[in-house]
Each structure stands twice: as structure tokens, then as C-alpha cells.
Amino acid sequence: MSVAAQVGKFPHVKCFAHTLNLASQRALKVATLSRLLGRVRRISTCFHRSTTASHCLKVKQQCLGLNNHKLITDVSTRWNSAYDMVERFLEQQPAICATLLSPEDAVRALKPMKDATTLMSEEHNPTVSLIAPLIAQLLHNMSDTIEDSPMIHEIKNAIKTDLLKRYSSEAEKKILYTASALDPRFKGMPFLMEEERLTQIQCTVMRTNVDEVPGAKRTETPMEDKPSSPKRKASSKSLLSLLGQSFTDIEGTLQPKTPYARAEEEMEKYCKAPSLPLTEDPMSWWHAHEVTFPLLSRLSKRYLCIPGTSVSAERVFSTAEDVVTAKRSTLKPEHVDQLVFLQKNLQIPKC
């Protein structure tokens, strides 16, 4: 993906899910947490391999009124599976009666990263506008507090150190901040300092004025240079002869606004509008306010369509792998395309 962006000279936004994975994997290598995960894995494996132990666990769950869940193990390629494993272990801890070193601390420290990973894996809502506020919030959550245990302190420092290295270039910041500014949920940009916020608003006005994203060029012919057809000229003369006397004074009082003035006025109106609740869909908001903010709505389509992660693309590859199996190896390419498309888009109602 990086090479494709370089060859095409496109602005590139790194996959935020991969960034979260790298930071979390670094936290999982903390000595205390690594030892805890090793013990949980051994206990979970014991119940997986022994039917006697599994039956005993089920009986204990019934006696204690717990949900009948099996313990799960983690997958090395998915950091959040380690979180799920420890969380499931905590649910069944009274039944297992194991004495481990602070599994609650591990779950509490990693929960913001788990929630961010789940949020960024969505496919039906724009995700690029979430990156900047999420990074700011995660860095805030990873700040040390007085009540933090030594394990939590080490986990937070590992994650914070890794996150501070990401999205540090000015080009990436411009794209992320502009996308967040165009999302009505985050248009106030409270995650920025006051000076940075004012600078970003000014930059958004400039981008709205030229109506382009970085790397794009506008080649549209100015309105005054476009040739007018003879029919159009004749119609204008007729209109002038009929209504010219009545509307001459009004026409003289109206001063045409410059593109920059229109963009600045629209941005000011946008900033004064109420922010959208976090539970609402920003694209529906823009659809409803497209007439009110014509310039910004056009710019929002260019930025909010950028995926914040490559999760969706990777899911398509996984779907294709499930379609083309050893028993279906003679499928034609066009049929594979059709099956993958239907699997990702067909809505089958549940009975």
C-alpha cells in the first residue's frame, strides 16, 4: 500500500488498526504482563485438553450461577485476542480458583486500546476522522495516575511511547485534522491546543476555497472564460428588456462575494452549528445539510471517504479465500467476483 501511494503520488494515511496493534503488542511484551498471559494460557490449555477438567469447570459454573462459557486462548497475530482471553478468564475466575498477579489490572489498562480497535474495524461509518481524536484520547488515558499499580504503569508507558512515534509528519496531520474538522461530531477539535485549532480552521477555509485535497489540481475553466451559446445570449437580452427596468437598482446593490469570502462565511456558520452527538451518523448529517454548506459538503466527501484502516480490504481477501477452496478450484474469475460481492453486500433477512 505504501509503494502504491508513492508511485501514484497520493497522500497516504497509515492503517490505524495496525498502529494500535503495534502499540498493544509492545505492551504485551512487558515482563509482568507476559508472565501473566503465560499462566492464563496454561490454565486455558488445560481445560481445552482435559474433558474431566472441562466437566468440572461446567459444574462449578452452575454452582456459582455463572454463565456457561468455555475458556479461550489467544492468537499471536491478533493482540486483542489476548485481551479477550484474560477477560474471559476473569469472568470464570471464581470457578477456577486461580491465584494470579492482577489480571484485573491488565484488562483495565488495555481496555481503551480494545475499544479503539473495535471502533476502527467498522465498515459502515467513516473512520479517518476518528484517528486524531482517538490518538489524543489514548495518550491522555495512558498518562500515569497515583493509583496505578506497577503493571499498569509499565503497560501505559509502553503504549504511550509507541503511539507518540506515529502520525508525526505534517502531511499526515493535515489530512487527519481536516477530516476531523469536517466531521460534525468533532468539528470543535477539543483535542488540539487553541493556537493549533485556529490554524486548522484557517487551513480548512483555504481548502474549501480551492476545493481540493493534497495532491489534487483543479483545472476547471473560470466562469467568465466559458463561451456562451447564441441561444443563451438571446434569452438574456429578452430577460433584460422585460425586467431590466425593475431590477436594475437591486442588481447594482448586490456585490458578488469572492470564493474565499464565501468559504470563510460558510466555515463560520459551520463552527457555530451544534455539534453532532457521537452516536449519530456524520454522513447522514452532511446529506441533510448539503444545501446549507455546499462547499464544505463537497470537501467532506473527499476526506471522509478515506478509510482509516485496511481492515475492510483484508476482510475481502479473507472472504475470497473462503470462496475459493480445494473443492471449488475451477470457479471462473467472474464467478468469484460475483460471490465475493454478494457475500459482502447481500442482506439476508433473519427468520
Side-chain angles (χ1 to χ4, degrees):
M1 291 183 182
S2 299
V3 172
Q6 292 173 4
V7 172
K9 296 181 180 179
F10 300 123
H12 181 225
V13 179
K14 296 175 183 144
C15 174
F16 190 52
H18 183 59
T19 298
L20 293 174
N21 182 59
L22 292 176
S24 302
Q25 291 287 359
R26 182 166 182 167
L28 296 181
K29 293 178 181 177
V30 170
T32 52
L33 181 56
S34 180
R35 287 195 296 268
L36 170 65
L37 292 175
R39 294 181 182 181
V40 175
R41 288 189 192 103
R42 287 195 292 272
I43 294 173
S44 179
T45 303
C46 173
F47 285 99
H48 272 283
R49 293 180 176 177
S50 172
T51 55
T52 303
S54 179
H55 176 72
C56 182
L57 174 62
K58 186 175 181 180
V59 172
K60 295 293 184 182
Q61 289 173 344
Q62 293 175 351
C63 293
L64 295 172
L66 299 174
N67 294 327
N68 185 16
H69 288 312
K70 293 182 180 180
L71 295 181
I72 58 177
T73 54
D74 61 332
V75 182
S76 58
T77 56
R78 293 175 59 245
W79 83 265
N80 49 325
S81 64
Y83 175 92
D84 294 335
M85 178 181 68
V86 178
E87 187 178 42
R88 180 65 63 84
F89 176 84
L90 280 175
E91 292 177 359
Q92 307 303 324
Q93 193 178 14
I96 301 172
C97 297
T99 56
L100 294 180
L101 178 63
S102 303
E104 296 91 349
D105 290 347
V107 171
R108 187 163 63 253
L110 292 173
K111 191 176 188 307
M113 300 295 287
K114 163 72 174 179
D115 294 340
T117 302
T118 303
L119 181 64
M120 292 302 298
S121 299
E122 291 184 355
E123 295 185 355
H124 301 291
N125 294 309
T127 51
V128 70
S129 59
L130 296 171
I131 296 179
L134 278 180
I135 287 181
Q137 186 60 46
L138 288 174
L139 290 174
H140 175 73
N141 291 339
M142 296 305 151
S143 301
D144 293 330
T145 57
I146 300 176
E147 58 270 12
D148 287 345
S149 65
M151 176 189 282
I152 294 180
H153 174 74
E154 292 183 39
I155 293 174
K156 285 184 175 181
N157 281 344
I159 294 175
K160 188 174 183 178
T161 302
D162 195 89
L163 286 179
L164 286 173
K165 300 186 301 184
R166 315 294 177 182
Y167 302 103
S168 56
S169 70
E170 290 300 320
E172 288 177 316
K173 287 181 179 179
K174 280 184 179 180
I175 295 176
L176 298 182
Y177 291 168
T178 302
S180 296
L182 291 170
D183 191 322
R185 297 172 296 178
F186 314 116
K187 62 186 178 68
M189 292 181 287
F191 51 88
L192 295 180
M193 302 294 290
E194 184 64 25
E195 184 178 350
E196 292 179 312
R197 192 180 305 128
L198 294 176
T199 302
Q200 181 54 44
I201 292 175
Q202 188 71 14
C203 291
T204 306
V205 171
M206 294 297 295
R207 288 188 179 88
T208 307
N209 180 31
V210 299
D211 190 21
E212 63 180 12
V213 294
K217 292 183 179 180
R218 185 175 181 179
T219 57
E220 184 181 352
T221 306
M223 291 295 293
E224 59 272 17
D225 295 337
K226 292 182 179 179
S228 300
S229 63
K231 291 184 178 180
R232 177 66 180 173
K233 289 182 178 179
S235 176
S236 299
K237 288 180 179 179
S238 300
L239 189 64
L240 185 62
S241 64
L242 288 171
L243 302 177
Q245 187 64 34
S246 301
F247 288 86
T248 300
D249 296 336
I250 298 178
E251 185 182 17
T253 59
L254 295 176
Q255 295 295 329
K257 295 181 180 179
T258 63
Y260 183 86
R262 288 191 291 112
E264 193 173 31
E265 180 182 331
E266 194 170 308
M267 191 66 190
E268 183 180 357
K269 190 189 301 183
Y270 173 67
C271 291
K272 291 180 179 179
S275 296
L276 187 69
L278 296 178
T279 54
E280 299 297 324
D281 181 14
M283 300 311 296
S284 299
W285 188 92
W286 276 116
H287 180 71
H289 295 79
E290 188 173 7
V291 177
T292 310
F293 307 105
L295 300 177
L296 285 174
S297 64
R298 189 158 61 244
L299 194 66
S300 68
K301 293 175 184 177
R302 296 192 175 192
Y303 276 87
L304 297 184
C305 69
I306 303 172
T309 69
S310 60
V311 173
S312 299
E314 293 173 7
R315 284 175 179 163
V316 174
F317 281 102
S318 300
T319 301
E321 186 179 4
D322 294 335
V323 170
V324 184
T325 61
K327 293 183 178 180
R328 308 178 75 188
S329 58
T330 58
L331 281 172
K332 294 182 179 180
E334 55 267 25
H335 291 165
V336 175
D337 291 342
Q338 292 169 359
L339 290 172
V340 172
F341 177 83
L342 289 174
Q343 202 281 333
K344 301 298 293 185
N345 295 279
L346 184 63
Q347 300 292 333
I348 301 177
K350 296 182 180 179
C351 299

